[in-house]
Structure formats: C-alpha cells, structure tokens
C-alpha cells in the first residue's frame, strides 16, 4: 500500500487502516508512508498493525522494490487507496494528466508482474475524462471490485467490467466487539460536510425540531469527523447552544482519533449525517444511523444503505423532520464483515 488520501478525514484513515489489517492478516504487508503526514499515520494506528513493514521515503522506493520482487518471481500485490481514483478528475486538466501518469506507472508495474488491486470503491456518474481514466485503470487492475450494486450497474452500463462486490472496508470493525463507553445519554448527534453547498439554516432548523421533540433536558452533540468540517460544525454548535444552553449541547472534534469517535457515538441514540463513515462508525457503536441527504444526491450513501436494508433511514434533507428510523441489524453487519474477509481470503490465496 501507498497512503495518499484526504488526511483530515477520519473515514479515510479508517478504511486505509482496515485495508491494511485485512491484508496483513493474510500476507506480509509493506506500507509506503512517504506521501502522508505523521499525524495521519497516528490516526491510522499503523504502528499497531502486525505483520507490517513501514516504508519511509524516498518517494518511489517501494515501487522499485515491488518491481524487483515481482521480477524475481515473488507474488506481489499493490493495493490502491480505497478512497477511489485520487479525489476525482472532474474537469481539471492537471488532475487528468496526473491520473494518466499514475496509470502509466501502474501499467509498468503490471507489466513486470505486480498484481494491482482496487477494493470496495463506489462510483457515481463520471465525466468523460474520469471515465477514460477509470477504463484505463480497470484494464490495469488484477482485481477491480466495488462496494455496492448501484456502482456495479453504472460501470457495466459504461462498458467497464467489475470483478464483484466487496463490502465497505469499515465493516472489518465488526471483527472485534465495539467498545461501549458509559450510558447512551446523548439523544441526537449531527455530523455534516459543508463543502458542497449545505444549507446550514435548514440543518439548524431541523436539528432544533429534533431537539424540541426529545425529552426535556436531553443532551445533544455536534461532531466533526473531518478537519475541514470543523468551522461549520462549530458554528452549528454555537447557534444551538445559544438557544438551548451549553449544558445541553456539546461539541466534539474527533477527526484525528477513532477512539474518540467510537467513544462519543457509543453514547448517542441517533446520528444524523451526510458523511458515510460517520454513519457507519456510529452504527458500529450502536447508534441509529440516519442519512440526511438531498433527494437524488450523494448516491454513494443511498446505494450502500439500500444494499444494507436501511433505505428507511435515508431522509430527504428538505423533507419534514424524520422519525421511525431503525438501527443497523447486527446480523447484517456481521454478514458484511464475513463477506469482506471471504473476499480477501480468495483474492490473496496462493494461485
């Protein structure tokens, strides 16, 4: 693995960590840390992953080591970052050229025998440039799997073959029991990304409706799980605490600590969010995950929730205040964990 992703995003740290754990449980793993900051390494907890060698600079050192290993006849895999194709190409010429260059490097690795793998990624409708990059990468990959049925249908409609569906990497959390800390004493929590035109006035009004419908004196939390969400979430905290008092509204920044995220969510009855991995981490800790998203948008969340039998927990952001949402079934989550591990058992078996 070579870690390069959104370094202020706890969800990206989580899925990279779980990918590392899934690999290292089966074969020796090397993680290239030359393209990521030490703070992200700490959030991932890379030092605690057994059967793992950490590679520090110079950049490209591990690429050469992989090529040499493959040429010597060793079985060698290179796992791409599970966040997708590096943030998306969109209409950026610079990002498009960078992605093509990276594809050429990956193609060179393929030619010397390295098995390039992309596991458990979701796809939404792409631009022409993104489709070109994805088709090229699909041709390079030894294994190319997606994490939901909708992504598979979309890619296949574009003539891009997928090798199967691998559950979201975060479901490997269910390999170990959740750490439940203290009583479930927080009625609702809110964790939102605000970098895509989120209507903060609508969000604060909906949060107030939910707080007003909760038991008198109940506690509520504003949670920032991504560093760039901090300002917007703290602004929401200030508005709600001014209305209900600071003793009823708390603010938690957990974007650098899985333990902090698990600790707060283990106290929460229901989490309302438009961030997938906030919802999935909260569900693992026993909260009811409620996806609050504009109708027809953020298909990565709605597609996965539909596959999980949680379509009733997908609420239109502009609809009336939600009610009656259900927790994720534990048997469903454990089944996802088993399917994920079976996928890696098959992929990394000697053949």
């Amino acid at each position: 693995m070579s870690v390069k992703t959104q370094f202020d995003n706890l969800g990206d740290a989580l899925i990279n960590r779980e990918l590392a754990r899934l690999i290292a449980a089966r074969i020796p793993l090397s993680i290239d840390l030359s393209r990521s900051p030490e703070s992200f390494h700490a959030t991932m907890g890379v030092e605690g992953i057994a059967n793992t060698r950490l590679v520090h600079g110079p950049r490209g050192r591990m690429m050469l080591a992989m090529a040499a290993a493959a040429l010597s006849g060793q079985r060698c895999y290179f796992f791409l970052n599970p966040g997708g194709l590096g943030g998306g190409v969109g209409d950026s010429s610079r990002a498009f050229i960078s992605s093509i260059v990276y594809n050429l490097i990956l193609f060179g690795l393929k030619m010397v025998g390295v098995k390039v793998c992309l596991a458990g990624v979701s796809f939404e409708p792409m631009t022409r440039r993104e489709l070109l990059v994805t088709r090229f990468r699909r041709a390079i990959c030894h294994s190319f799997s997606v994490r939901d049925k909708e992504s598979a249908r979309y890619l296949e409609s574009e003539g891009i073959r997928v090798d199967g569906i691998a559950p979201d990497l975060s479901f490997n959390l269910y390999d170990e029991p959740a750490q439940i800390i203290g009583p479930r004493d927080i009625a609702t929590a809110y964790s939102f990304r605000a970098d895509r035109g989120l209507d903060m006035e609508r969000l604060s009004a909906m949060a107030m409706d939910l707080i007003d419908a909760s038991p008198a004196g109940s506690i509520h939390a504003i949670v920032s799980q991504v560093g760039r969400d901090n300002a917007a979430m703290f602004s929401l905290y200030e508005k709600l605490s001014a209305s209900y008092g600071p003793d009823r509204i708390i603010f938690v920044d957990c974007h650098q600590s899985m333990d902090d995220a698990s600790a707060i969510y283990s106290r929460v009855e229901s989490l309302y969010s438009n961030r997938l991995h906030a919802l999935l981490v909260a569900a693992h800790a026993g909260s009811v995950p409620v996806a609050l998203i504009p109708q027809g948008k953020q298909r990565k969340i709605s597609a996965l929730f539909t596959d999980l039998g949680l379509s009733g927990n997908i609420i239109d952001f502009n609809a009336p205040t939600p009610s009656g949402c259900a927790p994720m079934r534990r048997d469903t989550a454990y089944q996802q964990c088993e399917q994920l591990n079976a996928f890696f058992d098959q992929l990394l078996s000697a053949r």
Side-chain angles (χ1 to χ4, degrees):
M1 293 174 57
S2 180
V3 179
K4 188 177 189 301
T5 186
Q6 300 176 47
F7 300 127
D8 67 342
N9 190 331
L10 184 68
D12 278 18
L14 168 64
I15 58 178
N16 275 278
R17 184 189 77 182
E18 296 309 315
L19 175 60
R21 291 180 61 221
L22 285 158
I23 298 167
R26 292 159 177 84
I27 56 175
L29 170 66
S30 295
I31 306 180
D32 176 13
L33 301 178
S34 66
R35 302 194 298 164
S36 50
E38 290 186 9
S39 58
F40 193 75
H41 307 162
T43 304
M44 277 184 65
V46 290
E47 296 284 353
I49 302 172
N51 200 28
T52 298
R53 180 174 68 98
L54 305 180
V55 180
H56 300 271
R59 293 187 180 185
R61 175 183 171 188
M62 197 174 78
M63 295 284 191
L64 294 173
M66 280 194 293
L71 286 169
S72 71
Q74 295 182 50
R75 194 162 50 100
C76 185
Y77 298 84
F78 182 46
F79 282 84
L80 304 180
N81 287 148
L85 296 176
V89 173
D91 293 321
S92 167
S93 295
R94 180 177 179 179
F96 175 66
I97 293 170
S98 177
S99 294
I100 292 295
V101 169
Y102 191 50
N103 274 352
L104 290 170
I105 293 170
L106 296 176
F107 182 72
L109 291 173
K110 172 185 170 69
M111 288 297 96
V112 299
V114 175
K115 300 176 186 296
V116 180
C117 302
L118 186 66
V121 178
S122 63
F123 288 85
E124 296 176 307
M126 292 180 278
T127 65
R128 289 179 63 186
R129 285 176 168 179
E130 287 172 327
L131 281 167
L132 178 61
V133 170
T134 304
R135 286 194 178 96
F136 188 5
R137 196 159 296 181
R138 159 65 278 192
I140 294 166
C141 283
H142 167 74
S143 177
F144 188 96
S145 67
V146 295
R147 72 181 176 198
D148 59 76
K149 296 174 184 176
E150 185 170 309
S151 292
R153 287 192 295 267
Y154 167 63
L155 289 179
E156 288 171 355
S157 74
E158 294 289 351
I160 301 172
R161 179 179 57 84
V162 302
D163 292 321
I165 296 175
D168 190 274
L169 292 158
S170 68
F171 281 103
N172 198 47
L173 285 171
Y174 291 87
D175 192 46
E176 298 176 354
Q179 298 296 316
I180 306 301
I181 300 173
R184 204 165 291 278
D185 57 351
I186 299 174
T188 65
Y190 309 87
S191 184
F192 283 80
R193 66 181 306 164
D195 59 352
R196 293 187 179 178
L198 179 70
D199 186 343
M200 291 299 294
E201 289 301 317
R202 172 61 183 154
L203 175 59
S204 61
M206 184 171 285
M208 287 180 176
D209 287 344
L210 289 164
I211 293 170
D212 289 341
S214 299
S218 57
I219 299 171
H220 305 266
I222 311 301
V223 181
S224 177
Q225 196 169 297
V226 178
R228 61 185 176 277
D229 295 342
N230 281 1
M233 290 299 93
F234 193 75
S235 176
L236 178 62
Y237 159 75
E238 289 183 315
K239 184 166 187 175
L240 295 179
S241 61
S243 298
Y244 296 97
D247 56 326
R248 293 190 62 195
I249 310 296
I250 62 174
F251 176 77
V252 178
D253 174 7
C254 60
H255 82 274
Q256 291 186 311
S257 171
M258 267 298 301
D259 288 343
D260 289 351
S262 295
I264 187 65
Y265 293 139
S266 72
R267 297 173 55 195
V268 171
E269 291 286 351
S270 299
L271 172 73
Y272 297 83
S273 182
N274 64 356
R275 282 203 174 276
L276 176 62
H277 289 105
L279 292 163
L280 294 181
V281 173
H284 177 253
S287 297
V288 175
V290 184
L292 212 54
I293 53 181
Q295 189 171 26
K297 303 292 185 181
Q298 293 186 260
R299 299 296 303 169
K300 291 182 179 183
I301 295 178
S302 58
L304 186 60
F305 266 44
T306 299
D307 286 356
L308 294 172
L310 290 172
S311 55
N313 290 32
I314 305 168
I315 306 298
D316 182 1
F317 188 81
N318 298 305
T321 301
S323 63
C325 296
M328 184 184 297
R329 290 174 56 96
R330 304 304 278 189
D331 58 343
T332 297
Y334 288 125
Q335 184 181 55
Q336 293 290 301
C337 181
E338 289 173 357
Q339 290 176 3
L340 184 63
N341 277 272
F343 172 85
F344 278 87
D345 284 342
Q346 182 177 22
L347 176 59
L348 298 178
S349 63
R351 56 181 171 175

